[in-house]
Amino acid sequence: MIFLYEKFEELLEERQTTAYRVSRDTGIASSTFSDWKSGRSKPKTEKLKRIADYFGVPIEYFLE
């Protein structure tokens, strides 16, 4: 899941936004992103879909 978080960070950088902003806009708790980064939890499909939609990328982007 760390690789998935790296893709998330790339999107943050490309779009010049922050995880906090994505959290506010998507309703996904900031702590969820921290848990993904540290490997404490794995993202649920529904949350990945929300993030993919937010950034305008297919969900497969995170799974490649």
Side-chain angles (χ1 to χ4, degrees):
M1 290 302 106
I2 293 172
F3 182 69
L4 181 143
Y5 192 83
E6 288 171 358
K7 290 202 165 223
F8 175 67
E9 285 185 320
E10 287 175 12
L11 287 171
L12 292 176
E13 188 173 319
E14 285 174 16
R15 303 303 198 310
Q16 297 182 338
T17 192
T18 63
Y20 175 75
R21 179 68 176 248
V22 175
S23 172
R24 273 194 12 224
D25 292 347
T26 63
I28 298 171
S30 295
S31 61
T32 300
F33 299 133
S34 298
D35 289 345
W36 295 350
K37 183 176 184 178
S38 69
R40 281 190 297 261
S41 70
K42 296 178 182 179
K44 294 180 180 174
T45 305
E46 172 266 323
K47 289 183 181 176
L48 269 184
K49 173 90 172 92
R50 233 187 297 171
I51 293 169
D53 290 347
Y54 179 83
F55 285 111
V57 299
I59 196 168
E60 292 81 13
Y61 172 83
F62 293 104
L63 306 175
E64 295 173 338

